[in-house]
Amino acid sequence: SQELEQSPQSLIVQEGKNLTINCTSSKTLYGLYWYKQKYGEGLIFLMMLQKGGEEKSHEKITAKLDEKKQQSSLHITASQPSHAGIYLCGADSPGNTPLVFGKGTRLSVIA
Amino acid sequence: DGGITQSPKYLFRKEGQNVTLSCEQNLNHDAMYWYRQDPGQGLRLIYYSQIVNDFQKGDIAEGYSVSREKKESFPLTVTSAQKNPTAFYLCASSTSGTAGYPYFGPGTRLTVT
């Protein structure tokens, strides 16, 4: 079965600094999804990547999928307190199977 | 507005009691899912349903049961057979095929003492 490993597990950054979160898959990724979660709340969809080398951006968040489609990175530029939360990557397989998720990366942004 | 509702937000039960968590969506999605979230463990799939009157077990189905009698509803029952039921439960839905991403509800935090 597919497994996703996220690194780091937690991250504390100073406001205004850039940061990167990684998601590595044990198998070739068919579709890779990034979500954000505030503590005690549901997941909010950020971006989906499907093609090797694909890159998408939304405001100050950029997600990339490597050419081999086994690793994705999420990069936040000039972090703000609103970026704090848990970031989770999810992956699916052909056949419309439910997403498998990584364990998440907890991000704290301090002033 | 379209979305997923889960009720209640917080639920408390005594050990040995069955409890049912509600999940309703008005997004006209065919597929619905239940995940469990524990600290440091990410999301684990309990059950999912891709069509009305049909559902499949996920990775941790033991001690849980579901029904899918209506497209909009996918209730989850946590039975007394579930050894560690205290957790945060998330319901999600999606369109069939690969067109859309799963849309999550706000979650229900269940505490069993």
Side-chain angles (χ1 to χ4, degrees):
Chain A
S1 61
Q2 187 163 32
E3 294 185 357
L4 298 176
E5 184 172 335
Q6 286 188 237
S7 63
Q9 288 184 323
S10 64
L11 193 53
I12 302 174
V13 299
Q14 196 165 20
E15 185 175 354
K17 296 295 186 183
N18 302 339
L19 65 106
T20 299
I21 297 168
N22 294 304
C23 176
T24 302
S25 173
S26 59
K27 296 183 178 181
T28 299
L29 290 161
Y30 180 71
L32 190 284
Y33 302 71
W34 282 103
Y35 285 85
K36 178 187 176 184
Q37 183 184 30
K38 291 284 191 183
Y39 181 76
E41 298 180 9
L43 276 64
I44 303 298
F45 173 77
L46 296 175
M47 278 170 277
M48 174 190 171
L49 305 165
Q50 284 187 303
K51 300 176 183 177
E54 187 175 9
E55 179 176 320
K56 288 186 177 178
S57 294
H58 176 67
E59 298 180 341
K60 294 185 178 181
I61 300 176
T62 300
K64 300 178 184 179
L65 182 61
D66 74 341
E67 289 288 345
K68 293 182 179 180
K69 295 177 64 176
Q70 284 201 281
Q71 185 170 28
S72 178
S73 61
L74 187 81
H75 184 78
I76 299 177
T77 303
S79 58
Q80 301 169 352
S82 61
H83 288 129
I86 301 172
Y87 290 82
L88 296 107
C89 61
D92 62 8
S93 304
N96 197 32
T97 55
L99 296 192
V100 171
F101 285 89
K103 294 184 178 182
T105 295
R106 184 179 294 272
L107 172 64
S108 301
V109 180
I110 57 175
Chain B
D1 287 338
I4 298 181
T5 57
Q6 290 187 243
S7 60
K9 179 69 173 173
Y10 299 96
L11 194 51
F12 298 88
R13 281 293 184 271
K14 294 290 187 183
E15 196 173 315
Q17 294 179 334
N18 292 353
V19 59
T20 297
L21 281 60
S22 168
C23 177
E24 303 276 336
Q25 55 99 359
N26 60 3
L27 299 165
N28 199 33
H29 284 169
D30 291 311
M32 296 187 74
Y33 316 85
W34 275 105
Y35 288 90
R36 169 180 171 145
Q37 187 177 32
D38 296 280
Q41 294 208 43
L43 272 66
R44 292 182 290 169
L45 182 67
I46 304 172
Y47 269 98
Y48 66 103
S49 168
Q50 294 180 317
I51 196 169
V52 174
N53 292 323
D54 188 41
F55 48 83
Q56 285 77 40
K57 293 182 179 181
D59 300 319
I60 55 166
E62 185 175 350
Y64 300 97
S65 66
V66 294
S67 63
R68 186 87 187 276
E69 297 176 0
K70 299 187 299 181
K71 187 175 185 177
E72 302 79 16
S73 179
F74 192 40
L76 174 75
T77 297
V78 184
T79 74
S80 57
Q82 168 51 231
K83 298 194 186 316
N84 296 297
T86 295
F88 189 52
Y89 291 88
L90 287 158
C91 179
S93 69
S94 68
T95 56
S96 58
T98 58
Y101 57 88
Y103 188 98
F104 280 81
T108 291
R109 184 166 299 278
L110 172 65
T111 302
V112 177
T113 57

